[in-house]
Amino acid sequence: MADSGEEENANLVETAIRLVRSEQVIAVKDRVFEVATRGFRAVFSHTISADEGPKTIYNQDILEHPEQEIKIVEKGESVEPFQEIEVDGETIIELNLDAFSEEGKREILDEIIPTEADQGRFLKHEQEQEFEVAEQARKDEKTNEILDHFSSYLSSRQLKLLRRSQSIRIAWEREDRYTPRRTMQKWKNDLKQQFGDSANIVSNFCSSGYYDEGGVLRHIMDGLSSEYEDPEQIQEEYEEIVLEHPFVVYVGRYDTPERVKEQARTRISEHDSHVYTIPYIDIRAQGRDNRQTAEQALERLEGEFATLPVETIEDDRELVYRIDPKNAEPL
């Protein structure tokens, strides 16, 4: 039987969930949003005497008071989970997430916005497009298949980054709505702040299709699972793969043909030095200037090999030179 503390926490969670279910808009951290049709009764809470001292009882029937404003805040564990405040003469209810257990907070957050668990944070008003993309990713069959496949290999943190990176990929690929590059770059910067240097590479891996069925990461991770029994070893190896990306050179704005050539040459010469096999090495470039850099790098690279099997893959978005390292023969 649950103790009184567990029952009290369950009641608080129920109250919070019923609160946020009364509104359909996006909940925004530290901003007030309006419950347009339903909310709290006028009698919000009352205090009773208990063995341990005064105890606040919160009204569980919160669906009758219209036009109640609610503010989602994080004010520390010592602050009440709900309290009324006055702002410009208006009564506002603050919901303090820090007053709940981690499990209770997750239940509340999952009701506030279905994709909060994917995003790992609240969304600002200007991020509604990101919310839409994340919601689309949550329903996307390919994304769900990718996450299911890699869930047996990756840690929860690694999977979370993969999930959010897939959202950016969907925005990049969708044809019914244009997402500016600067917007997607901002999303990538947000990921980098949370996950570190690996964030950009994981996002690039997603856009390159390396996690897809038949992708190089499937090949590598499936091989690692037969090499190692310890999941932590597989996860550590995956982190190294992300940081070193030994099967691809992404051409960036500040790269030179010589630098790209050297990176590709190193990957070719070291392709068989890993505990996993690398079936191909890509040089990938987007944008006119980067494509020119890639073309010049390939010309220099070919000058250093007697045989260099290369497949050219090109569309409106990207130029890819796919090299067969196993059959490359240096001069």
Side-chain angles (χ1 to χ4, degrees):
M1 181 174 179
D3 59 30
S4 60
E6 291 176 339
E7 290 179 353
E8 181 177 355
N9 182 66
N11 287 338
L12 291 177
V13 171
E14 180 186 352
T15 299
I17 288 176
R18 293 183 70 186
L19 183 155
V20 297
R21 278 179 178 166
S22 66
E23 178 49 65
Q24 300 302 315
V25 302
I26 299 173
V28 182
K29 179 179 177 180
D30 287 338
R31 293 196 187 189
V32 172
F33 65 93
E34 183 177 317
V35 177
T37 58
R38 297 182 295 178
F40 280 95
R41 279 184 174 181
V43 178
F44 174 62
S45 64
H46 63 280
T47 302
I48 64 171
S49 296
D51 293 340
E52 64 275 15
K55 180 179 179 180
T56 302
I57 302 298
Y58 294 97
N59 182 11
Q60 295 287 308
D61 189 4
I62 62 175
L63 304 178
E64 296 184 8
H65 193 283
E67 299 179 357
Q68 175 68 63
E69 288 185 326
I70 306 160
K71 189 175 185 180
I72 311 298
V73 298
E74 293 173 302
K75 289 192 169 183
E77 296 178 0
S78 62
V79 176
E80 290 289 316
F82 309 103
Q83 58 183 346
E84 291 182 337
I85 62 172
E86 293 290 327
V87 177
D88 297 329
E90 297 292 332
T91 300
I92 292 173
I93 303 300
E94 282 190 341
L95 191 161
N96 175 34
L97 289 175
D98 288 338
F100 296 88
S101 67
E102 285 302 314
E103 182 180 358
K105 183 186 294 188
R106 174 55 51 200
E107 289 185 50
I108 296 166
L109 293 178
D110 286 345
E111 288 292 341
I112 290 175
I113 178 171
T115 55
E116 194 282 331
D118 297 351
Q119 296 293 318
R121 59 191 168 84
F122 289 103
L123 301 176
K124 299 176 182 178
H125 287 307
E126 59 268 23
Q127 292 174 303
E128 290 183 9
Q129 186 175 7
E130 185 178 2
F131 164 76
E132 180 187 349
V133 169
E135 181 71 7
Q136 185 177 357
R138 189 173 67 88
K139 300 175 181 178
D140 182 64
E141 291 184 4
K142 178 187 288 187
T143 296
N144 289 327
E145 191 276 332
I146 288 172
L147 294 173
D148 286 344
H149 185 89
F150 284 90
S151 63
S152 59
Y153 300 141
L154 306 185
S155 67
S156 58
R157 180 178 174 82
Q158 290 167 340
L159 278 173
K160 188 172 186 178
L161 174 57
L162 176 56
R163 181 186 296 112
R164 290 179 60 181
S165 297
Q166 274 293 122
S167 296
I168 296 176
R169 176 192 183 177
I170 285 176
W172 185 64
E173 292 182 346
R174 66 187 299 183
E175 297 179 354
D176 60 324
R177 180 169 178 176
Y178 173 70
T179 302
R181 281 184 176 271
R182 65 178 180 275
T183 300
M184 286 187 283
Q185 188 58 52
K186 183 181 183 307
W187 295 346
K188 287 186 176 184
N189 290 340
D190 289 344
L191 289 186
K192 186 176 181 180
Q193 288 183 5
Q194 183 174 355
F195 294 96
D197 293 336
S198 61
N200 281 342
I201 295 298
V202 172
S203 293
N204 288 340
F205 282 179
C206 286
S207 299
S208 300
Y210 292 145
Y211 293 97
D212 294 358
E213 186 174 357
V216 64
L217 280 171
R218 300 272 184 126
H219 173 82
I220 290 176
M221 298 304 289
D222 290 348
L224 287 176
S225 68
S226 61
E227 183 75 23
Y228 299 120
E229 293 183 2
D230 185 356
E232 290 189 2
Q233 286 183 292
I234 298 175
Q235 292 161 14
E236 289 175 5
E237 197 71 44
Y238 171 78
E239 285 293 335
E240 288 296 318
I241 291 168
V242 169
L243 292 176
E244 296 178 5
H245 44 283
F247 49 79
V248 60
V249 178
Y250 288 105
V251 181
R253 181 187 307 175
Y254 303 109
D255 283 324
T256 64
E258 185 65 20
R259 181 182 178 186
V260 172
K261 181 209 77 173
E262 285 301 318
Q263 289 181 350
R265 191 177 188 279
T266 298
R267 283 160 171 73
I268 293 170
S269 64
E270 297 179 354
H271 81 278
D272 58 355
S273 63
H274 309 283
V275 296
Y276 47 85
T277 58
I278 296 179
Y280 55 77
I281 292 167
D282 287 344
I283 300 175
R284 308 185 77 105
Q286 297 179 19
R288 185 184 64 182
D289 292 344
N290 290 344
R291 288 182 187 224
Q292 289 179 351
T293 299
E295 290 170 2
Q296 294 169 16
L298 182 64
E299 290 176 2
R300 298 186 184 193
L301 189 64
E302 288 175 327
E304 299 187 9
F305 285 82
T307 303
L308 188 67
V310 180
E311 177 187 3
T312 301
I313 306 169
E314 187 173 11
D315 57 27
D316 293 339
R317 299 185 182 210
E318 191 174 30
L319 169 65
V320 180
Y321 293 124
R322 179 156 294 178
I323 301 168
D324 176 4
K326 184 176 180 180
N327 293 306
E329 298 180 7
L331 289 172

